[in-house]
Amino acid sequence: MAVRDLHVAYGGTRVLHGVSLDFTPGSFTALLGSSGCGKTTLLRSLSGFVPVQSGSIIVGGKDVASLPPEKRGMAMVFQSYALWPHMTVLQNIGYGLKLRGATKAQIAAKVAAMLEFLGLAGYENRKVTALSGGQRQRVALGRALAIDPGILLLDEPLSNLDAKIRMTMRHEIRAIQQRLGLTAVHVTHDREEAMTMADRLVIMQAGRIAQVGTPEEVYDRPATAFVANFMGAENVLPLRVERSEQGARLSAGEATASLANAVSSALPSGDAVAYFRDDVARLDASDATSVDDLIVPGLIAARAYPGGVYRYRVEAAGRQITVDDADRHELGTKVGLRIPLQRLHIFPASEAGSIAA
Ligand SMILES: Nc1ncnc2c1ncn2[C@@H]1O[C@H](COP(=O)(O)OP(=O)(O)OP(=O)(O)O)[C@@H](O)[C@H]1O
């Protein structure tokens, strides 16, 4: 499947501004992005529930953008399950087959196989209202899979489940997708869910694609300030970068550090903004020095114990920085915030825009 220059609008409001993507057969892609960026709209355009303004959706070499949902070879699983409450498990799973003209015997055989596959053997005659959330979502999955789709679209299917079932379902869905060789596209708000289930992440920002890559690429090498921030590097530190023959000199207020040429060649020059995660920095003595790490003077303003490590809010370089540290320190203590340079994601200040504000 591939999407080319997809534009979608609701009334006069444009929501997708020219999205192009390729989906390798058998791959699992997660669409991630802040609320309202257009993830669900993209998924619904693929499925045919939302019409496209322009662009194409290619499945097996054919443009399906103007075909109705049932002619696209795709099935969708919804957050709300969207099961028929007055119907039994058998009737729900068999619904798509019935619409496609399958006989009663064919439906019964397929549903029994599907229930076996999903660990719900013998549940045929149960009303769906008499099932747990996890079981309902499995029935919804069964209904989607019963029509043998090549492409499975998942619209936040795990959001309504409690944490434990959600973990189990992550593994189940991934295993089913791999076993059946389905091409899956999954919309989620949950970064960890996307990272653990998908081969590839697509990070969307305001109706456009900000980055496409493996979970490692997107997490460790974010292409933009937005992606770095969105993937959890929420600490923001304004920096000045001065390039020289030997490398680069970084300064954050009084604090300075040097980077050798090999590592610094990709750095911007001038005013920049660095992003880093809570678990990257450490608390050191206020007079600590280092050649490899940036040590920014700071003051402990708050402390919490979420478990395992302490989480501190440190006032440093005019910013509030969140840092995890194994040791307990008192509020008001002067510290040196030790930040390894290679763990910083650095972008020109002009690119950081409102995220850095
Ligand atoms: N049926 C609709 N009519 C008009 N505008 C809509 C409709 N559905 C969504 N929108 C708007 O389109 C934009 C994208 O919505 P969409 O649901 O695709 O975002 P999303 O990334 O899935 O968000 P969320 O994570 O909150 O579900 C939003 O601004 C939303 O308000």
Side-chain angles (χ1 to χ4, degrees), residues 10-11 13-16 33-42 44 50 155-156 187-189 204:
Y10 295 107
T13 315
R14 291 176 68 179
V15 174
L16 296 183
S34 356
S35 188
C37 70
K39 309 177 287 291
T40 307
T41 301
L42 175 55
R44 295 199 170 158
V50 167
D155 187 5
E156 302 193 38
V187 164
T188 176
H189 276 107
M204 295 183 62

Side-chain angles (χ1 to χ4, degrees), residues 163-175:
K164 199 152 171 258
I165 310 270
R166 210 181 311 147
M167 294 294 166
T168 316
M169 288 298 288
R170 278 183 193 174
H171 294 296
E172 281 190 20
I173 292 179
R174 178 63 166 153

Side-chain angles (χ1 to χ4, degrees), residues 6 11 28 51 55 73 93 100 117 129 135 164 169 186 193 198 215-216 238 252 258 308 313 324 329 332 343 345 354:
L6 209 62
F28 195 117
I93 295 185
R100 286 165 176 77
F117 186 62
T129 45
Q135 290 170 332
K164 199 152 171 258
M169 288 298 288
H186 180 200
E193 184 177 299
E216 290 90 342
S258 300
R313 184 158 53 76
D324 291 346
H329 303 276
R343 305 294 300 276
H345 304 296
S354 58

